[in-house]
Amino acid sequence: MKIEEKIVSDLAYDLKHKIVSIVIEELKCDTKVYALDEKREYLENLWEEYCVVIQDKNQDKEIKSSIKREVHSHLSKKFETLTYYKKIAIWLKTKEGVAWLYEKKDESCSLDDVPFSFNDCKDELYTMIEKIASTYYSDTIYRFLNLESRAFKEDFDEDDKDIVYE
């Protein structure tokens, strides 16, 4: 691998992980709830609700779509704060970017020649967030997915945790 390829690859890797981390933190700070049912009100934030939607295949598709749009909105806002060359670095590591680079490998190109697309980047970033959400764990998520609504009482005793996890 050429040194410039390594630099772009490492930069893109770092940027993607930074964006994903920031978006997840923003979702954790967002207390909006999309579904109004008895158990869901005990989820602490939009991140937990998103994790439940990803982990529980029986969740409402409409709610999943709404939350997915919200995640895309957060990704878009974070992505727009990047400088143009950082956006291109991320795009160059997408399937489309790699294909374009291979096609242009013997040509010299300027930044203006790059057929950059946010949608290519957004899909890859969303996939990263979805993968994290699919394995993310918290007591609240566990209780939501595995217990009846009666177990969500606010007097849930930490001493009962052993019983819950059996």
Side-chain angles (χ1 to χ4, degrees):
M1 179 183 283
K2 295 180 184 175
I3 186 71
E4 60 270 21
E5 292 172 354
K6 176 72 172 141
I7 291 169
V8 170
S9 182
D10 288 353
L11 176 62
Y13 179 88
D14 290 345
L15 289 168
K16 289 189 295 187
H17 283 83
K18 184 176 182 178
I19 290 170
V20 165
S21 295
I22 290 170
V23 168
I24 289 171
E25 286 307 311
E26 288 175 350
L27 295 172
K28 286 179 179 179
C29 291
D30 192 340
T31 57
K32 131 182 16 168
V33 177
Y34 280 89
L36 300 174
D37 68 29
E38 192 176 314
K39 286 186 350 182
R40 201 168 293 255
E41 71 185 41
Y42 291 99
L43 294 172
E44 295 179 7
N45 50 50
L46 186 56
W47 172 246
E48 286 190 348
E49 186 172 24
Y50 177 67
C51 293
V52 164
V53 165
I54 296 301
Q55 292 176 27
D56 184 359
K57 303 303 179 203
N58 298 322
Q59 292 295 311
D60 186 321
K61 291 185 187 324
E62 203 171 301
I63 293 167
K64 186 174 183 176
S65 291
S66 296
I67 296 173
K68 185 175 182 176
R69 280 192 301 277
E70 186 76 28
V71 172
H72 280 162
S73 172
H74 282 268
L75 284 171
S76 178
K77 288 175 188 169
K78 274 298 139 225
F79 199 81
E80 287 307 312
T81 65
L82 299 175
T83 59
Y84 188 64
Y85 81 92
K86 288 180 179 178
K87 292 175 186 177
I88 289 175
I90 292 172
W91 180 79
L92 287 172
K93 298 311 293 177
T94 64
K95 290 184 295 189
E96 294 78 8
V98 169
W100 181 82
L101 268 178
Y102 182 75
E103 189 178 293
K104 300 290 184 184
K105 67 181 174 192
D106 296 328
E107 299 175 31
S108 128
C109 298
S110 73
L111 285 177
D112 296 332
D113 297 332
V114 179
F116 161 77
S117 166
F118 170 64
N119 284 332
D120 299 335
C121 301
K122 178 180 68 175
D123 293 343
E124 193 166 299
L125 291 166
Y126 182 80
T127 299
M128 289 173 67
I129 289 176
E130 189 175 47
K131 185 181 261 187
I132 294 167
S134 71
T135 59
Y136 186 82
Y137 167 85
S138 76
D139 287 345
T140 313
I141 293 170
Y142 178 86
R143 287 186 281 166
F144 182 92
L145 294 173
N146 297 295
L147 300 175
E148 298 298 320
S149 60
R150 62 180 161 64
F152 271 88
K153 292 182 181 172
E154 292 199 23
D155 62 347
F156 179 78
D157 188 358
E158 285 297 315
D159 294 336
D160 294 336
K161 203 174 196 175
D162 296 335
I163 298 167
V164 171
Y165 291 110
E166 289 181 348

